Amino acid sequence: MAHRPARKPLAPRTATALRSLGPVPPSPPAALACARQARAREAMGNQRWEVVGGADKGGIVVRAGRELTSQQLPQKLETAALVEQLERIGDRVHYRLLEGQGPEEGWVSVRLKDKPLLEPRPSNGQAA
């Protein structure tokens, strides 16, 4: 059996050496989450929605908060109303009323099960 010479131990990485490598890139899941959040913020600005659901029920339910358990407002958002998205979390949209009848502001669902309640509409300056 041949004798191998002993290897020198690797020099420990110092804080200075690590800093010279630059910032650590985010992990893939974190990077994806950051990208999703950026797209959501970008799309959030002027996204408009038309109410297409609730024709047979006098409109769609509007709630005071984003949770489905939050207080239901007394007035519904009527079918064909046009709203501007202020915030979107999942399938819930915080809106401001632009045209039509209903509460001036509130939270609504984009869909109920497989039935759409809101459909996107182009904003000013956007192609259809």
Side-chain angles (χ1 to χ4, degrees):
M1 182 184 238
H3 177 71
R4 293 185 177 182
R7 290 186 180 180
K8 289 184 181 178
L10 296 174
R13 292 190 178 182
T14 63
T16 305
L18 288 174
R19 278 194 298 271
S20 70
L21 296 174
V24 177
S27 65
L32 289 174
C34 289
R36 278 190 215 112
Q37 289 172 353
R39 281 194 306 272
R41 281 191 300 273
E42 182 179 301
M44 189 171 73
N46 293 352
Q47 176 66 57
R48 292 181 178 196
W49 299 88
E50 181 180 346
V51 179
V52 296
D56 58 336
K57 299 192 182 336
I60 64 173
V61 171
V62 179
R63 295 194 178 272
R66 77 176 172 118
E67 296 83 17
L68 293 171
T69 56
S70 67
Q71 178 188 1
Q72 181 176 328
L73 300 182
Q75 187 180 11
K76 291 185 176 185
L77 187 57
E78 289 187 358
T79 304
L82 185 65
V83 299
E84 181 177 32
Q85 176 178 307
L86 302 175
E87 182 178 5
R88 181 172 180 181
I89 300 175
D91 277 349
R92 302 283 291 159
V93 171
H94 182 202
Y95 77 87
R96 179 173 53 98
L97 183 65
L98 297 175
E99 296 174 14
Q101 298 294 312
E104 287 294 314
E105 191 174 313
W107 285 84
V108 293
S109 295
V110 173
R111 69 181 56 85
L112 179 61
K113 298 182 183 174
D114 293 332
K115 185 175 181 179
L117 301 177
L118 301 176
E119 286 186 355
R121 292 295 178 252
S123 300
N124 294 342
Q126 287 184 344

